[in-house]
């Protein structure tokens, strides 16, 4: 079978390295994004830059979107000059952005009218996971479309799971973001507590990491906490969006997530204090402010 031609829309922190991993795996990739320097990066990696969504998706077998949030995904897919306006029936659209489950279901319904197949396939693992090609990918949609996309997913991630119908991948991602935010907040509180208590912080984090308190979050964010390096990574603005998604989705099914509500408020406060552009490990700065410590 011929290698599918891929159109990639959204070459940001995640999209650039993911598209590059597809190129390394032998896929022809034509990409579009808003920043010219990201298009140059794609060309340098062996991809083909496109000046518009229409130019990127024409003739593609698979279209991948990796965009910030629901409004951008809806505009790029459903817009007058968007993906659905320029793709042939039988094309597979894989939205890897994190959006609300109901947005994924609505996209799939709109696309079905044009014979375009859709998967929601949000990811976890951060920028490092994207670069290393070791993302967790949670997929919603038809099983046969999941099977068709299998080789492509395996070029991007190591844990790839079909979770159910349209929107199920996003529901799992919302749960993921709840766990990550609560975990970061707990780690940040531990860091401020340990520092105020005068304990050797690198030593403390090393031993915490080896016990039940250890987590991928602690492992991946330890450096950010220690160095106060909050360059994104995953921006607080995006996690704010995701806490909105999980809060709404949990409410819709009658699930109480009290800790999620508290941490959603702390993420919103960090953003209101001007930290929205920082990595989500900067929740530490919020704990410092509450504790009267230097930020
Ligand atoms: P980003 O802001 O770095 O990149 C988004 C890209 O989309 C930008 O390059 C921008 O130019 C492009 N874009 C926006 N509107 C566009 C349009 N109309 N047409 C074409 N391109 C457009 O975001 P990111 O960090 O790469 O995150 C992308 C998605 O992945 C988000 O939904 C985020 O929640 C999710 N995510 C991010 C991470 C992370 O660690 N950064 C991890 C897991 C999931």
């Amino acid at each position: 079978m011929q290698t599918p031609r891929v159109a990639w829309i959204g070459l940001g922190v995640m999209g650039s390295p993911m598209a590059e991993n597809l190129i390394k795996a032998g896929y022809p990739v034509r990409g579009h994004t808003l920043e010219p320097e990201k298009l140059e990066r794609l060309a340098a990696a062996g991809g083909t830059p496109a000046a518009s969504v229409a130019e990127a998706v024409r003739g593609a077998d698979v279209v991948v979107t990796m965009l910030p949030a629901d409004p951008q995904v809806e505009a790029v897919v459903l817009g007058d000059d968007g993906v659905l306006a320029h793709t042939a029936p039988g094309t597979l659209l894989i939205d890897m952005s994190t959006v609300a489950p109901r947005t994924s279901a609505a996209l799939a319904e709109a696309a079905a009218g044009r014979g375009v197949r859709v998967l929601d396939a949000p990811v976890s693992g951060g920028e490092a996971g994207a670069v290393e090609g070791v993302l967790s990918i949670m997929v919603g949609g038809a099983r046969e479309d999941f099977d068709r996309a299998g080789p492509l997913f395996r070029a991007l991630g190591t844990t790839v799971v079909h979770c159910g119908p349209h929107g199920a991948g996003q529901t799992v991602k919302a749960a993921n973001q709840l766990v990550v935010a609560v975990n970061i907040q707990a780690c940040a509180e531990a860091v401020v507590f340990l520092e105020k208590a005068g304990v050797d912080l690198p030593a403390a984090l090393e031993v915490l990491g080896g016990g039940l308190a250890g987590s991928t979050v602690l492992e991946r964010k330890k450096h950010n906490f220690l160095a106060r390096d909050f360059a994104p990574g995953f921006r607080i603005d995006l996690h704010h969006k995701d806490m909105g998604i999980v809060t709404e989705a949990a409410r819709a099914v009658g699930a109480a997530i009290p800790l999620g509500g508290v941490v959603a408020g702390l993420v919103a406060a960090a953003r209101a204090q001007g930290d929205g552009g920082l990595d989500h490990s900067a929740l530490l700065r919020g704990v410092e402010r509450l504790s009267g410590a230097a930020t």
Side-chain angles (χ1 to χ4, degrees):
M1 219 174 76
Q2 217 190 338
T3 310
R5 290 160 297 179
V6 176
W8 193 290
I9 315 295
L11 295 160
V13 169
M14 298 295 283
S16 278
M18 291 167 74
E20 286 163 16
N21 282 337
L22 282 193
I23 294 166
K24 279 184 212 143
Y27 288 83
V29 176
R30 197 184 301 176
H32 175 65
T33 205
L34 301 182
E35 305 86 356
E37 69 274 14
K38 295 292 176 76
L39 290 175
E40 285 164 23
R41 177 176 162 174
L42 179 74
T48 308
S52 65
V53 172
E55 189 184 318
V57 306
R58 234 177 259 127
D61 303 300
V62 179
V63 177
V64 182
T65 45
M66 192 52 168
L67 297 159
D70 303 57
Q72 292 84 9
V73 172
E74 286 167 342
V76 163
V77 175
L78 305 174
D80 287 343
D81 216 15
V83 173
L84 292 185
H86 295 284
T87 42
T91 307
L92 179 62
L93 166 62
I94 308 176
D95 181 31
M96 304 195 80
S97 331
T98 304
V99 298
R102 59 179 165 72
T103 300
S104 297
L107 288 184
E109 202 180 320
R114 305 188 59 93
V116 172
R117 316 286 306 175
V118 181
L119 292 172
D120 49 295
V123 306
S124 180
E127 185 182 9
V131 171
E132 294 160 23
V134 297
L135 292 167
S136 275
I137 308 177
M138 28 222 125
V139 187
R143 181 93 211 181
E144 69 259 30
D145 296 328
F146 173 76
D147 292 340
R148 178 178 162 195
L152 182 149
F153 285 142
R154 285 191 291 278
L156 304 174
T158 42
T159 307
V160 184
V161 179
H162 182 242
C163 301
H166 296 298
Q170 297 295 353
T171 301
V172 176
K173 174 66 182 179
N176 182 87
Q177 293 306 83
L178 168 65
V179 173
V180 170
V182 170
N183 198 338
I184 292 178
Q185 178 66 22
C187 290
E189 292 182 13
V191 165
V192 173
F193 162 54
L194 288 162
E195 282 185 335
K196 284 217 163 210
V199 171
D200 176 356
L201 188 60
L205 295 185
E206 186 189 338
V207 73
L208 282 180
L212 198 54
S215 65
T216 308
V217 163
L218 181 57
E219 187 52 39
R220 294 252 187 198
K221 299 297 178 186
K222 193 158 68 174
H223 158 79
N224 305 70
F225 293 138
L226 289 170
R228 277 9 183 215
D229 173 5
F230 300 124
F234 188 71
R235 286 178 284 120
I236 281 179
D237 280 339
L238 288 176
H239 217 138
H240 177 67
K241 175 240 332 174
D242 293 350
M243 294 314 285
I245 291 172
V246 69
T247 306
E248 186 202 309
R251 187 167 182 265
V253 296
I257 52 164
L259 271 183
V262 169
V263 176
L266 292 165
V267 173
R271 196 164 176 259
Q273 299 267 350
D275 286 351
L278 301 181
D279 186 72
H280 51 176
S281 53
L283 283 179
L284 178 67
R285 286 165 52 85
V287 182
E288 286 179 326
R289 283 188 285 261
L290 287 171
S291 304
T295 57

